[in-house]
Amino acid sequence: LACNQGLVYHKMNETMRPCFYQGSWRRDSCRSYEIFASQGDYPLKGFHYLLQAMPEILQKFPEAHISVAGIGITAYGSLKEKLKISGYGKYLRKLMEENGLEDKITVLGQLSDVQMKEAYLNSHVFVCPSALENSPNSLGEAMLLGLPCVAAAVGGIPSMLENGREGLLYGDALDDKALADAVLRILQSADGGMALGRAARARALQTHDAARNAGELEQIYKTILQEEQP
C-alpha cells in the first residue's frame, strides 16, 4: 500500500488436507507431557528455542518428552552422517548435550498427512516456536484436531489463534523462558488444555472450512475479472 495506494488485497483462508477434519484430540488418549513440533531442520522454525526451554519444563515434569517431524539433521552415528551434518545440526546437538536432552527427543522423520495426524493426536501440546511465520499450516492442523497449542506471536499467528482462549501465545520468539512458561501452563492446567483445544477446533473449523474457502476463491476471481473489463 505504501507504493500503490490503489492496491486491492483479496483475503482467503487456507484449506487443510482432508484427514485433519476428521477426529479430535483427547486428553485421556494422548501421551502425557508429550510435546510435538512439526519441523526441526530449518532454523527459522525455532526448534532450538524449544530445546533451550526444555530444562525448565523438565524441572516441573521430568517425564516430558519432545517428538519432532522432519529429517534427522542431528544424526552423528556413522562417518557419512558426521561428514554431512550441517552447522545447524551441530548447534542442535550442542544444545541437546549441554541440557542432557539426548533421551528426551525423538525425530519422527518425514511423515505423511495421516502420520502427522497421528503424531498430533498422540501429543499433549503442540509448539510452534518460529522466529518468522506467515500462517503456518501446522498450527491450523493442530487447531483443527483440538490439540492445545503454544506459539510465538509472530507474523500471522495472532490472527489465527486468540491468546488465552484458543491457545497460548508468547510475545518474543527469542524468549525461551516465556515459551517454557506457556507450555507449563498447559501441562499444569486442571483440564490438561482441553478447553483451549475445544475453542481452537471451533475456530479452525470456520477458518479452514473447505466449502466456504472455495466459494470465497470463486468470488475473488469474479471480482478480478470484473475489474479487468473495460
Side-chain angles (χ1 to χ4, degrees):
L1 289 176
C3 298
N4 181 0
Q5 296 298 319
L7 183 69
V8 177
Y9 181 74
H10 300 279
K11 178 182 177 182
M12 192 190 81
N13 291 315
E14 296 169 293
T15 298
M16 299 295 137
R17 292 172 289 182
C19 72
F20 294 102
Y21 293 87
Q22 304 298 322
S24 61
W25 178 82
R26 292 171 53 92
R27 171 65 186 89
D28 58 4
S29 61
C30 75
R31 298 186 189 124
S32 293
Y33 318 124
E34 184 76 14
I35 302 165
F36 180 57
S38 64
Q39 191 170 347
D41 52 5
Y42 186 40
L44 284 178
K45 294 298 183 179
F47 186 58
H48 51 290
Y49 301 131
L50 179 55
L51 296 186
Q52 291 167 336
M54 198 61 175
E56 185 171 345
I57 296 170
L58 289 169
Q59 286 182 5
K60 298 287 182 64
F61 295 95
E63 57 272 70
H65 182 271
I66 297 173
S67 292
V68 57
I71 59 176
I73 66 167
T74 60
Y76 206 66
S78 67
L79 176 60
K80 182 179 179 180
E81 289 171 339
K82 291 177 180 178
L83 291 173
K84 290 183 64 177
I85 191 168
S86 65
Y88 186 55
K90 291 179 180 178
Y91 177 56
L92 294 180
R93 283 187 61 84
K94 180 174 178 288
L95 290 176
M96 292 164 59
E97 292 167 1
E98 290 178 347
N99 295 304
L101 302 177
E102 293 92 337
D103 297 328
K104 290 294 182 179
I105 300 168
T106 299
V107 179
L108 302 176
Q110 294 178 314
L111 305 179
S112 67
D113 54 349
V114 174
Q115 291 170 327
M116 280 289 290
K117 177 181 176 180
E118 182 180 2
Y120 286 119
L121 295 178
N122 284 338
S123 302
H124 193 155
V125 56
F126 169 70
V127 173
C128 180
S130 298
L132 183 68
E133 275 293 358
N134 184 10
S135 56
N137 283 0
S138 57
L139 180 59
E141 292 167 352
M143 292 176 66
L144 273 174
L145 293 171
L147 174 62
C149 297
V150 169
V154 298
I157 287 178
S159 68
M160 296 177 64
L161 182 151
E162 182 181 338
N163 184 36
R165 194 178 82 83
E166 299 162 345
L168 297 180
L169 302 179
Y170 57 100
D172 185 352
L174 308 181
D175 189 347
D176 53 88
K177 186 181 187 309
L179 167 54
D181 289 344
V183 172
L184 287 171
R185 280 180 60 188
I186 290 179
L187 298 184
Q188 293 173 323
S189 62
D191 69 349
M194 290 179 60
L196 293 174
R198 283 195 296 265
R201 177 170 166 78
R203 168 76 173 271
L205 285 171
Q206 295 182 27
T207 302
H208 305 296
D209 183 294
R212 184 167 67 179
N213 291 343
E216 288 179 352
L217 179 60
E218 182 179 2
Q219 185 56 50
I220 288 170
Y221 279 123
K222 288 180 178 178
T223 300
I224 293 172
L225 289 172
Q226 289 172 356
E227 292 172 350
E228 292 297 321
Q229 290 178 359

